[in-house]
Amino acid sequence: MIQLVPSILAADFSRLGEELQIIEDAGVKMVHIDVMDGMFVPSISVGLPVISSIRKKSSLCFDVHLMVEDPARYTKQFAEAGADIITIHAEAAKHLHRTICEIKTMGKQVGVVLNPSTPLNVLDYVLDDLDSVLLMTVNPGFGGQDYIPQMTRKISELSAIIKERGLNVNIEVDGGIKLSNVHEVIEAGANWIVAGSAVFGKDPSQNVKEFHKIFQKYQK
Ligand code: DX5
Ligand code: ZN
């Protein structure tokens, strides 16, 4: 199932609740929340208090992308704050398999994120345990960057591995995805499409509808 996962990084934080309501009313089911610690990536974004406060207002599925060093330190707190999916960077986790197991034990969905230069083979022994793999299609840390074209081949290769192993793992893509290039990532095998600036631009509701119109062509 193809899902649009708007990233709140590009939303107007002074009216976050309202922005979430607008995308939910337009038919979105999941929202992407970028947590940046100023160490793993240069920026600092939002954290636990923001997630707990929007959790009280929104029934969207919260997809929490942890761009933090040693994410095992925080998974429990993000689970308690209201994350539904917790996604950790392979590059930042000291004991990736252990942390994946801990997230699952808390009853949450778990994803692993790879930076653009990280090869797919780091997933080899953990893929069976995952609900999703998030492929960064820009270098993490900022919204509004350009899609890295080599990532299309990475998506296709991951899709082939998942099929070959008969797994049911969602392929999420994040960074530089717009109405103009979303076809390319879907055709390569991505099904959770994160988009920040392409959704929270001038008219989020209309932008969501445009994405959904494209998705319809691919839904079986
Ligand atoms: C970047 C973040 C992204 C970002 C995407 O580090 O992980 O989720 O919000 O923004 P756009 O869609 O504008 O590239
Ligand atoms: Zn993200």
Side-chain angles (χ1 to χ4, degrees):
M1 173 93 181
I2 304 173
Q3 296 278 4
L4 180 66
V5 196
S7 165
I8 61 163
L9 196 61
D12 175 354
F13 283 111
S14 70
R15 4 182 321 272
L16 192 51
E18 209 180 303
E19 296 265 66
L20 290 176
Q21 195 58 55
I22 290 170
I23 57 167
E24 188 169 355
D25 291 347
V28 158
K29 305 277 181 243
M30 295 167 68
V31 65
H32 186 83
I33 304 170
D34 288 303
V35 177
M36 303 179 183
D37 68 350
M39 290 290 286
F40 180 68
V41 290
S43 316
I44 297 176
S45 57
V46 296
L48 293 160
V50 171
I51 295 177
S52 352
S53 87
I54 56 176
R55 182 72 292 170
K56 292 182 202 123
K57 302 265 172 183
S58 175
S59 53
L60 288 166
C61 172
F62 283 6
D63 170 34
V64 177
H65 175 191
L66 292 183
M67 282 165 273
V68 303
E69 284 293 351
D70 195 5
R73 297 174 298 151
Y74 290 108
T75 51
K76 188 162 183 277
Q77 290 171 67
F78 280 100
E80 286 168 359
D84 296 295
I85 306 166
I86 299 179
T87 303
I88 54 172
H89 272 263
E91 304 87 357
K94 287 188 181 153
H95 300 283
L96 185 60
H97 179 262
R98 178 187 290 155
T99 308
I100 290 167
C101 294
E102 284 167 358
I103 295 170
K104 286 170 69 146
T105 305
M106 293 184 287
K108 302 296 173 182
Q109 292 186 58
V110 60
V112 168
V113 201
L114 303 183
N115 282 338
S117 67
T118 303
L120 290 172
N121 62 16
V122 303
L123 298 171
D124 208 5
Y125 302 104
V126 295
L127 196 56
D128 306 64
D129 295 314
L130 302 180
D131 296 288
S132 56
V133 173
L134 171 51
L135 295 180
M136 288 309 301
T137 46
V138 298
N139 287 292
F142 307 96
Q145 302 179 80
D146 287 337
Y147 179 82
I148 300 171
Q150 302 92 295
M151 294 304 104
T152 305
R153 177 164 67 87
K154 194 174 187 184
I155 301 164
S156 309
E157 288 174 3
L158 175 60
S159 174
I161 294 167
I162 290 170
K163 281 200 188 104
E164 193 185 298
R165 289 172 57 167
L167 299 173
N168 187 17
V169 179
N170 295 286
I171 301 182
E172 184 170 23
V173 285
D174 184 8
I177 313 285
K178 316 218 162 303
L179 287 165
S180 56
N181 63 3
V182 69
H183 306 83
E184 184 172 333
V185 296
I186 294 173
E187 283 165 24
N191 66 307
W192 287 358
I193 314 294
V194 177
S197 38
V199 170
F200 293 104
K202 236 185 8 215
D203 186 345
S205 176
Q206 184 58 29
N207 294 335
V208 167
K209 285 180 188 139
E210 301 281 342
F211 272 104
H212 283 167
K213 216 185 287 169
I214 295 175
F215 295 176
Q216 267 173 15
K217 292 191 219 150
Y218 294 97
Q219 306 283 18
K220 284 165 211 148

